[in-house]
Amino acid sequence: MLDIDLVRSMLGGWRDDPLSAGLVARELALAMIRTHLGSGRDVVVPQYLSRPGFAETLEATAGSRGARFVEVVLRTDAAAAERRFAERAADAANADGADGADIHGPFVGSSMGDVVEGHAAYVDGRPRAIVVAPAPGEEFVSVSALEAVLSRRSG
């Protein structure tokens, strides 16, 4: 798994300009992806995307290495998304001693309901994306459910 936010956090001075550092981290991640795919391995890139561009870049990168690109979107409600972002921010704070708020980046000042709604609109424009949601009564999509979706897609 290649966590671009983790790559960003490894860049010196990234907190001074998180947006620019994020763009550099994406370029580094693409080089890592090309190398890894070139050795015949799979790459999973967990990334919240809400604007066109990067998914297409990931797809082109996979294609340039003869790899299949599968876009999976995990659908959730605003309350679950808020909990997940809070947990991720706490993990970031525990990892580097910072306050963890930088993990929220573009969401600062937005309600999670607006973020989830905006993401849904973005996903509507990605017709080949596989959308999965937690089973009723569950908060997370299970690994086995995700594997089942991917195996049906590759079959």
Side-chain angles (χ1 to χ4, degrees):
M1 181 164 31
L2 180 55
D3 186 334
I4 297 172
D5 291 332
L6 180 60
V7 172
R8 179 185 69 161
S9 73
M10 299 169 123
L11 300 174
W14 76 270
R15 288 186 186 280
D16 298 332
D17 190 354
L19 180 60
S20 293
L23 295 174
V24 170
R26 282 186 173 185
E27 290 302 316
L28 289 168
L30 290 168
M32 295 165 75
I33 290 166
R34 282 189 293 274
T35 300
H36 205 62
L37 291 175
S39 67
R41 293 181 174 86
D42 293 334
V43 179
V44 174
V45 182
Q47 186 74 47
Y48 173 87
L49 299 175
S50 61
R51 291 185 299 256
F54 193 56
E56 292 84 352
T57 301
L58 290 170
E59 185 170 13
T61 301
S64 74
R65 294 294 193 215
R68 185 172 55 104
F69 176 80
V70 178
E71 183 177 8
V72 178
V73 177
L74 303 177
R75 185 72 46 119
T76 192
D77 62 32
E82 185 66 44
R83 281 190 302 277
R84 290 179 191 161
F85 274 92
E87 289 169 4
R88 189 162 163 89
D91 287 347
N94 290 335
D96 67 11
D99 65 11
D102 292 309
I103 205 75
H104 287 283
F107 313 125
V108 173
S110 300
S111 76
M112 196 52 71
D114 290 342
V115 171
V116 168
E117 188 176 304
H119 185 251
Y122 165 78
V123 171
D124 288 346
R126 305 285 308 159
R128 292 187 296 150
I130 301 167
V131 179
V132 295
E138 300 290 327
E139 183 171 344
F140 297 99
V141 173
S142 70
V143 172
S144 60
L146 185 54
E147 287 172 341
V149 167
L150 291 173
S151 68
R152 283 195 307 267
R153 179 65 172 240
S154 65

